Amino acid sequence: MELYSKGSSSSSLLLHHHQHQHQHRHAILQTPSLSFRVSPTCFRNPPLCYPTHKLQHFNLLFSRPKHIRYPLLLVRSEAEAGTSGVAYPLSGYEFLGKIRGVCFYAVTSAVAILLFQCMLLAHPFVLLFDPYRRKAQHTIAKLWSMCSVALFYNIRIKGLENLPPPHSPAVYVSNHQSFLDIYTLLTLGRTFKFISKTGIFLFPIIGWAMYMLGTIPLKRSDSKSQLETLKRCMDLIKKGASVFFFPEGTRSKDGKLGAFKKGAFSIAAKNKVPVVPITLIGTGKIMPPGRELTVNPGTVQVIIHKPIQGSDAEAMCNEARAMISRTLND
């Protein structure tokens, strides 16, 4: 293989190859401020491999034997001067996380299909004898969540003694880090009603199961829907059921606790029921937001705090957030 360079005193090209073995070959292009890892397409279309506005006079001409195959590499730039570019394959940790993610969804789907039939058979009796709390359906959901996560991450629960009696209505609130938060919270076995986007109810099996659990639909951008959701929550509490809120409104993208909305605390204050703050630690690392196809190994901690009760929604909101924030920062 031959290499020709012209017109660039500040750039150098390093070429590594083994003469006696047919192994991967890497070409690295470096400048004082940029370093690039060269992909195989560079050998066929060199001008795409480097910024022409920086290296206008730099030309690469490659020739290679046909029996040599180059590995698929990524083109990467590094903005710090003096940083050397090194060609590394995809991280084994990330690769295993994606494999675990595929396995996780396969397991949870298989279990959901099986248990959904049980929910379907039980639903007429649930509507007849327990239309608000729906304990039987929540027992099935707990079994589904436990079977789904058992092979992929551990759950450690602290503060079970702080949970109100099963038949006592309450408002539960928690920080929100990951799609796995729902799985983790269902393992508690409490019959609280989640609030979910209306689009989720259209998903086969999962959406239908959420409907049978009594999950409350919400259109986030619709103020009328938000008002109806609050009214339904208040009605469920009056009938003896509990509701669950993520006061941040959405998942945290960086793991930091966001501002709390007061809706959940207003419901608790008006109905004179306790607010039960819960801190979730670890779900964001196992399945980071925006990377729902990845499941990393790890342990999730569930810390149940002492209930808060009062008539001042804002004070209850601030106290609950302070509890969760201190726990996350410990």
Side-chain angles (χ1 to χ4, degrees):
M1 179 181 292
E2 296 180 302
L3 169 69
Y4 300 90
S5 61
K6 297 181 181 180
S8 176
S9 60
S10 62
S11 303
S12 63
L13 184 68
L14 303 179
L15 180 64
H16 305 278
H17 79 92
H18 299 281
Q19 297 180 351
H20 303 291
Q21 299 179 357
H22 301 314
Q23 298 181 348
H24 299 318
R25 297 188 176 187
H26 301 269
I28 301 174
L29 179 63
Q30 298 180 326
T31 73
S33 60
L34 294 172
S35 64
F36 290 84
R37 194 183 305 171
V38 184
S39 71
T41 57
C42 299
F43 298 106
R44 297 189 298 272
N45 194 6
L48 296 178
C49 304
Y50 55 88
T52 54
H53 67 283
K54 292 285 186 181
L55 302 174
Q56 295 179 354
H57 304 294
F58 196 92
N59 298 315
L60 297 178
L61 300 176
F62 290 95
S63 62
R64 61 169 183 169
K66 293 183 179 180
H67 65 277
I68 297 296
R69 293 183 179 182
Y70 294 93
L72 179 62
L73 302 178
L74 299 175
V75 177
R76 183 184 68 180
S77 66
E78 303 197 15
E80 294 183 2
T83 304
S84 60
V86 181
Y88 290 111
L90 180 66
S91 166
Y93 183 81
E94 295 177 354
F95 179 74
L96 290 176
K98 293 186 180 298
I99 294 297
R100 287 169 58 88
V102 171
C103 294
F104 171 78
Y105 285 109
V107 169
T108 193
S109 298
V111 176
I113 292 172
L114 177 63
L115 294 180
F116 176 75
Q117 300 176 54
C118 300
M119 295 183 74
L120 196 60
L121 292 173
H123 198 59
F125 301 97
V126 168
L127 292 179
L128 185 61
F129 297 106
D130 187 18
Y132 301 109
R133 295 180 62 246
R134 305 190 183 189
K135 185 177 180 180
Q137 304 292 40
H138 279 273
T139 300
I140 296 173
K142 177 183 178 180
L143 181 60
W144 168 66
S145 60
M146 292 178 68
C147 291
S148 297
V149 307
L151 297 176
F152 301 96
Y153 65 91
N154 300 316
I155 299 177
R156 295 179 181 175
I157 302 174
K158 181 180 179 181
L160 279 172
E161 68 278 4
N162 294 325
L163 286 175
H167 298 284
S168 298
V171 174
Y172 294 80
V173 297
S174 170
N175 60 309
H176 199 9
Q177 295 184 338
S178 170
F179 176 63
L180 294 178
D181 292 344
I182 302 294
Y183 284 86
T184 302
L185 291 164
L186 284 174
T187 63
L188 295 176
R190 291 307 171 107
T191 59
F192 40 62
K193 311 303 176 190
F194 289 101
I195 297 171
S196 178
K197 294 185 296 184
T198 53
I200 305 296
F201 289 83
L202 300 177
F203 290 3
I205 307 298
I206 298 298
W208 305 337
M210 290 170 57
Y211 174 80
M212 288 189 287
L213 281 171
T215 303
I216 304 167
L218 170 67
K219 294 180 181 179
R220 290 182 178 176
S221 58
D222 188 341
S223 58
K224 183 179 179 181
S225 176
Q226 294 173 6
L227 184 60
E228 290 177 353
T229 297
L230 293 177
K231 288 181 178 179
R232 185 169 177 184
C233 288
M234 295 181 69
D235 185 57
L236 284 168
I237 288 176
K238 290 176 182 178
K239 298 293 177 58
S242 298
V243 293
F244 195 103
F245 284 83
F246 292 112
E248 294 170 277
T250 187
R251 287 170 293 175
S252 171
K253 295 182 179 180
D254 56 6
K256 296 180 180 179
L257 190 65
F260 276 15
K261 298 178 181 179
K262 292 192 297 183
F265 306 94
S266 297
I267 292 172
K270 289 179 181 179
N271 290 275
K272 299 180 179 179
V273 296
V275 173
V276 183
I278 297 176
T279 303
L280 299 175
I281 302 175
T283 54
K285 293 182 179 179
I286 294 174
M287 183 182 285
R291 295 171 56 191
E292 281 72 26
L293 295 180
T294 298
V295 176
N296 300 314
T299 298
V300 172
Q301 296 183 59
V302 181
I303 297 93
I304 304 166
H305 304 280
K306 291 183 178 181
I308 304 169
Q309 199 151 4
S311 57
D312 187 337
E314 185 171 358
M316 295 169 71
C317 177
N318 293 336
E319 185 177 354
R321 190 184 183 283
M323 283 183 178
I324 295 173
S325 180
R326 281 196 302 266
T327 306
L328 288 173
N329 294 327
D330 283 347

